[in-house]
Amino acid sequence: MKSVDYPENWYDIDTALYIRSVKLFRAVKNLLSVKFELFADNQVLQGDIFLFNHFSRFETFIPQFLFFEQTGAYSCSIASGEFFKEDNVLSNYLKHVGVFPHDHPRLFAILAGQILRGRKVIIFPEGGMVKDRRVIDKKGEYSIYSRMTGLRRKHHTGPAVLGQGVEALKSAIRHAFKTKDKERLLHWQSLLEFDSLDQLMATALKPTLIVPANITFYPIRNSENLLFKSVELFSDTMSLRQTEELLIEGNILLKDTDMDIRMGEPVNPCCVWDWRTHWIMGKTAPDIRDPDDAFNLTSAPRNWKERLLGYLFVKNASCSRNQYMKAIYANVTVNLSHLASTLIMSNIGAGLKHIEKCRFYTVLYIAIKNLQKNPDIHLHRSLLNPDDYSDLIHCVNDRFEHFICIAKDAQLIAEQDECYHFLPKLCEDHDFDQIRLENPIAVYHNEAAPLSIVRDTLSAADQAYSKIDPEQLAAWHFDDELIALAYEQQTFSTLQNGTIKQHESAIADPSPFLMKPARTNGIGILLIHGLLASPAELRDYGRTLARQGFTVLGIRLKGHGTSPNALRDLSYEQWFDSVNKGFTILKAHCGKIVLIGFSTGGALALKLAAENRQEIAGVVAVSVPVKFMNPSFMLVSLLHNTNSLVRWLSSFEGVKPFIDNTPEHPDINYCNTPIRALFELRRLIQHLDELLPGIETPTLLLYANRDPIVAPESAEIVFARLGATRKYLHSIDADRHGILMENIGETWSMIDDFLSSLQQTEDTGYPMPQAITEEEAAS
């Protein structure tokens, strides 16, 4: 191949072109479906040499633009010399945006100069794309496949060599300052284009840092996409390699994909220097006059000191390489596909040919809960949001089923008799350019392989499956409720929710609560708060019940206790899902459960009671809303439909997304009511009307006779429709809505009597008091 005579000093960055490129990148980024997340604090971003693993082509031009957005610093990178063989538009562009040919004879010297001037250098130490993600060999050591030789090789030490060379240059500059060698200092100032000697000194004192970083894509798809079809129209002679890259990388770009860029702790390239290296560095520093001198120590030493220092540099570079490569792979963002793939391959390694579907799902759930407690693992956001993983315990999960579909389509597994069977293709060898298409499970497994804790945690979860303690499972479910609250709070704490949050006054703790008495009576109480409120509404009452021996769980309805915006896109079915989760948690502690719900919570309690589960001993519904004192509520359905139409037609928020609310307890309730929430409440009421005749559970209905929100006849309507033979209706003399929270008219005592009657029936078999008639209730 014809060699190229590169200019000795190469080209400097054209800052104007660089900035235009950043703007273009922003525009393109907004058109793509890939979601970029950069996990790094400002201190880490002050590093000098940034190292990335390499899985796709387009990721080679993303880090430098993200760095510019975050820090305003320009970045240099390295590309194959093939791009610069011809003088064309592409090569000229690359030359002026900080891209250097890998075979430039002065590559490290030029990059060192860029670093000393404050630029960042981006390097992919794997030397090329690692499509199979296999970075650990059979001996457990780091190595990768070389496309050129067809063999496995160690990772490049170039970043460590570059870092040590920069430190050598800084040592020479510091020596000049120490000896007050003005001529040498002015030489360095001119060479590095600094405005002053103070700038030169600051650069010489700054430690050189290598920052290991990991790019993780999730999910990895292999289906056809628009990019592939477009290219296919113009070419029917695509190579296997081109086809694979268009399918995999086109999906990354054009379909919803998370690209997590996670920075590890900076590595000092001189961290393994011992006293000998520092001593000989001090002896050599006076002879270093320019960047080339620092990088000729191994190739062209001028004396025994440089020869010895070059030897130590090579030795130290290998140690530094091992450190930063370990850090790169330790910073992978672990997702559900990693866990599922690791579990599959571990089972195959143990000689198993299938796994029960229920076992698979549950083991994954147990592993997730244990990994959440490990600070050394970085979990994908879907493993930190219970909405994305908690349903695994019920053997349903959208993300997992997507993984299963891909595995089935690739003929890696088959589903039969409630089991997933492992097919022979899982263990077959595949061409380097086929494996992402043919065996994505192997790719996911290889990516997580450096994290032994993932494999160990899955193994422990698999062993725990058959003897899992129901109370431990319930504890994890309750933990999920706390995590869901924190996740929701974080999601709706952004600036875009600031306007609404400024008008909110709720400061009470919205956390769900589980209270276990010292001596339990064996009965659990599930407390369900009202619309716009939170568990804080019933916390004091819960303490009173716990002192009586009841195990009490105050569940939080999804969308409550955080921001009114959280309620805008939720349905009453999602509120009811929260109630079901609370029931599942409490059921692990108690054989019999009483449901106590206030207002909307009372309607949800009746809906659960309609299922007539054997564990439900009774239900108390307080101030159930069927009719309302405010007649404008009748317009809610129309207003919600108008809002939906407006939001569908444009990005406008809607004609009236919220209405003002003046709560009795502003420290607990939202002051803004989403129209959608009222619409969902109407849907719940209509649905409840169909369910009431089928309820057989003993039921107590309480209401305030002068409720300012819920029309008193609501209770009579519910009572009349209720199918239970043992039903009770009591009126409380009050002009407040919150009679349960405030214990107006001895509301708690009335519920105590009802609970006592339930206990008597349960313990002695005595019948409960005779149900009152509708006429008696009205009187």
Side-chain angles (χ1 to χ4, degrees):
M1 181 179 292
K2 178 183 176 182
S3 61
V4 178
D5 294 327
Y6 295 120
E8 184 175 336
N9 292 318
W10 201 239
Y11 303 85
D12 198 9
I13 294 176
D14 181 338
T15 56
L17 177 61
Y18 197 101
I19 292 172
R20 288 200 300 271
S21 299
V22 171
K23 291 179 178 178
L24 177 62
F25 169 72
R26 288 173 184 161
V28 173
K29 185 174 69 170
N30 292 333
L31 295 175
L32 300 178
S33 296
V34 59
K35 297 182 287 292
F36 301 91
E37 286 281 349
L38 178 61
F39 297 90
D41 57 39
N42 289 331
Q43 184 176 358
V44 169
L45 290 174
Q46 302 311 308
D48 304 288
I49 304 170
F50 290 81
L51 313 182
F52 292 88
N53 57 326
H54 196 8
F55 185 66
S56 71
R57 252 173 226 295
F58 71 91
E59 69 192 5
T60 57
F61 61 82
I62 288 177
Q64 47 266 56
F65 295 129
L66 292 179
F67 286 153
F68 189 84
E69 288 182 333
Q70 294 286 326
T71 67
Y74 299 99
S75 299
C76 304
S77 59
I78 304 170
S80 171
E82 295 178 5
F83 289 105
F84 304 92
K85 300 302 181 186
E86 297 181 8
D87 189 17
N88 53 35
V89 174
L90 176 60
S91 65
N92 282 315
Y93 172 76
L94 295 176
K95 291 173 185 176
H96 292 93
V97 291
V99 181
F100 298 83
H102 81 285
D103 53 355
H104 193 289
R106 296 188 61 247
L107 177 62
F108 281 1
I110 297 173
L111 291 177
Q114 294 287 334
I115 291 172
L116 291 171
R117 293 173 59 189
R119 273 79 183 271
K120 302 184 185 305
V121 173
I122 294 169
I123 299 177
F124 295 86
E126 293 166 337
M129 293 171 59
V130 183
K131 294 185 176 183
D132 59 2
R133 291 290 201 191
R134 185 181 168 197
V135 296
I136 290 183
D137 59 25
K138 295 180 180 179
K139 296 180 181 178
E141 297 180 355
Y142 290 109
S143 64
I144 56 172
Y145 172 80
S146 171
R147 187 191 297 274
M148 294 184 65
T149 64
L151 303 173
R152 297 188 67 80
R153 61 166 175 78
K154 289 286 188 180
H155 300 84
H156 294 313
T157 58
V161 172
L162 176 60
Q164 290 186 114
V166 172
E167 274 302 308
L169 294 173
K170 290 180 178 179
S171 294
I173 296 171
R174 291 195 298 268
H175 182 272
F177 273 104
K178 183 179 179 181
T179 59
K180 299 180 180 179
D181 188 339
K182 189 173 183 180
E183 178 186 353
R184 183 72 62 88
L185 290 174
L186 292 174
H187 164 74
W188 283 112
Q189 180 186 347
S190 174
L191 186 67
L192 299 174
E193 302 179 15
F194 281 117
D195 293 332
S196 68
L197 291 178
D198 289 339
Q199 287 183 340
L200 179 64
M201 185 60 176
T203 296
L205 292 175
K206 178 183 178 294
T208 305
L209 296 178
I210 297 175
V211 180
N214 187 287
I215 298 179
T216 312
F217 294 105
Y218 177 60
I220 302 171
R221 301 181 182 88
N222 57 10
S223 58
E224 289 191 359
N225 56 71
L226 182 61
L227 183 60
F228 175 78
K229 291 180 179 178
S230 299
V231 174
E232 196 178 32
L233 286 175
F234 300 97
S235 174
D236 57 359
T237 58
M238 285 190 294
S239 67
L240 176 65
R241 179 176 175 180
Q242 292 170 326
T243 301
E244 189 266 356
E245 289 174 3
L246 283 172
L247 287 173
I248 297 297
E249 297 173 33
N251 281 318
I252 289 175
L253 286 169
L254 302 176
K255 296 185 179 178
D256 289 335
T257 305
D258 290 339
M259 179 180 178
D260 285 358
I261 306 172
R262 198 175 293 276
M263 307 287 177
E265 289 296 318
V267 173
N268 185 337
C270 305
C271 59
V272 291
W273 282 15
D274 57 15
W275 67 269
R276 294 171 300 176
T277 311
H278 284 287
W279 179 81
I280 197 65
M281 184 70 252
K283 295 293 184 182
T284 307
D287 299 327
I288 298 177
R289 296 189 59 88
D290 57 58
D292 294 277
D293 292 338
F295 297 98
N296 289 335
L297 296 173
T298 54
S299 59
R302 293 172 294 189
N303 51 52
W304 69 269
K305 292 179 293 186
E306 292 188 356
R307 185 176 296 108
L308 176 57
L309 186 59
Y311 166 77
L312 293 174
F313 272 17
V314 172
K315 181 179 178 182
N316 292 332
S318 297
C319 296
S320 297
R321 184 263 315 277
N322 294 341
Q323 288 191 35
Y324 59 64
M325 293 312 304
K326 181 178 180 181
I328 286 177
Y329 298 129
N331 277 283
V332 62
T333 301
V334 177
N335 56 57
L336 187 59
S337 293
H338 287 132
L339 302 183
S341 299
T342 301
L343 184 57
I344 287 173
M345 301 310 290
S346 296
N347 274 265
I348 290 175
L352 301 178
K353 296 183 178 180
H354 68 271
I355 183 172
E356 296 173 4
K357 182 177 179 179
C358 184
R359 186 187 192 104
F360 202 169
Y361 280 76
T362 305
V363 169
L364 290 174
Y365 176 80
I366 296 171
I368 290 168
K369 295 308 298 177
N370 285 319
L371 286 171
Q372 285 177 344
K373 298 181 292 185
N374 193 318
D376 298 324
I377 292 292
H378 305 293
L379 297 180
H380 184 264
R381 60 195 67 87
S382 61
L383 300 186
L384 298 174
N385 180 7
D387 287 349
D388 287 326
Y389 70 79
S390 62
D391 53 0
L392 281 167
I393 202 68
H394 304 298
C395 294
V396 290
N397 182 269
D398 289 342
R399 286 182 180 271
F400 183 71
E401 284 156 17
H402 176 263
F403 168 85
I404 291 296
C405 286
I406 290 177
K408 286 180 179 177
D409 291 343
Q411 298 181 330
L412 300 171
I413 65 171
E415 185 176 355
Q416 185 179 358
D417 301 328
E418 292 301 308
C419 290
Y420 293 121
H421 295 263
F422 310 136
L423 301 181
K425 186 179 176 182
L426 268 169
C427 300
E428 293 175 1
D429 291 329
H430 296 280
D431 181 86
F432 187 73
D433 288 316
Q434 283 185 292
I435 190 165
R436 294 193 296 187
L437 288 174
E438 298 295 339
N439 195 347
I441 288 179
V443 175
Y444 278 120
H445 172 252
N446 289 339
E447 189 172 29
L451 304 174
S452 59
I453 187 63
V454 169
R455 182 175 60 256
D456 294 343
T457 301
L458 282 164
S459 176
D462 197 30
Q463 294 177 21
Y465 169 75
S466 57
K467 50 184 178 182
I468 189 68
D469 178 8
E471 289 200 16
Q472 173 60 75
L473 208 55
W476 282 328
H477 293 333
F478 184 73
D479 184 56
D480 283 340
E481 293 302 302
L482 297 175
I483 294 174
L485 170 61
Y487 199 90
E488 195 174 289
Q489 287 173 326
Q490 181 181 7
T491 301
F492 292 97
S493 64
T494 57
L495 292 177
Q496 67 186 70
N497 298 292
T499 305
I500 284 295
K501 288 183 71 68
Q502 288 175 3
H503 297 92
E504 292 300 324
S505 56
I507 57 173
D509 181 9
S511 304
F513 55 84
L514 177 61
M515 301 174 181
K516 299 179 183 179
R519 296 183 62 184
T520 179
N521 59 18
I523 297 178
I525 304 287
L526 181 61
L527 295 178
I528 311 168
H529 64 79
L531 185 66
L532 308 182
S534 75
E537 183 174 59
L538 302 176
R539 197 180 302 274
D540 286 343
Y541 181 44
R543 293 190 183 101
T544 299
L545 290 169
R547 284 194 289 269
Q548 297 176 36
F550 295 101
T551 300
V552 183
L553 173 62
I555 198 65
R556 182 187 74 96
L557 302 181
K558 187 174 177 59
H560 291 74
T562 54
S563 165
N565 281 294
L567 271 176
R568 288 198 58 192
D569 296 317
L570 297 180
S571 64
Y572 83 79
E573 288 90 349
Q574 289 170 290
W575 304 341
F576 184 65
D577 185 52
S578 298
V579 175
N580 257 321
K581 289 177 180 177
F583 182 76
T584 300
I585 294 169
L586 198 54
K587 193 168 59 174
H589 299 279
C590 309
K592 291 296 178 181
I593 294 173
V594 176
L595 313 175
I596 301 179
F598 170 69
S599 194
T600 300
L604 293 168
L606 288 169
K607 174 172 168 55
L608 183 59
E611 298 179 6
N612 293 311
R613 303 189 190 185
Q614 61 179 5
E615 296 93 349
I616 301 178
V619 58
V620 178
V622 183
S623 304
V624 177
V626 175
K627 291 190 174 183
F628 296 84
M629 300 301 294
N630 186 350
S632 64
F633 184 70
M634 297 300 294
L635 300 176
V636 164
S637 181
L638 175 62
L639 190 54
H640 169 70
N641 290 332
T642 304
N643 282 339
S644 299
L645 178 63
V646 171
R647 279 196 285 179
W648 179 70
L649 291 174
S650 71
S651 60
F652 184 58
E653 279 292 294
V655 293
K656 192 174 179 62
F658 298 96
I659 59 174
D660 293 336
N661 176 44
T662 305
E664 292 177 339
H665 306 102
D667 60 324
I668 293 174
N669 293 77
Y670 293 149
C671 294
N672 292 272
T673 306
I675 292 296
R676 168 69 185 271
L678 295 178
F679 175 75
E680 291 299 324
L681 176 55
R682 285 200 60 178
R683 288 186 60 234
L684 172 60
I685 295 168
Q686 292 168 356
H687 178 58
L688 182 63
D689 185 62
E690 302 170 0
L691 299 177
L692 287 171
I695 296 177
E696 301 172 359
T697 307
T699 303
L700 170 64
L701 301 175
L702 297 172
Y703 71 100
N705 59 1
R706 288 173 286 123
D707 193 319
I709 297 175
V710 175
E713 58 262 36
S714 293
E716 298 171 11
I717 294 171
V718 173
F719 186 83
R721 293 281 292 162
L722 194 62
T725 57
R726 293 175 290 177
K727 57 183 180 180
Y728 311 90
L729 176 61
H730 288 284
S731 171
I732 305 293
D733 183 22
D735 60 359
R736 301 273 288 176
H737 180 55
I739 57 175
L740 180 58
M741 175 182 173
E742 300 176 25
N743 191 23
I744 298 175
E746 298 186 344
T747 299
W748 295 359
S749 294
M750 291 185 182
I751 298 176
D752 286 345
D753 292 341
F754 178 70
L755 295 175
S756 296
S757 68
L758 293 177
Q759 288 177 283
Q760 290 173 6
T761 302
E762 182 70 26
D763 296 340
T764 66
Y766 295 148
M768 295 177 62
Q770 186 176 354
I772 61 175
T773 65
E774 186 174 350
E775 291 75 15
E776 291 172 326
S779 64

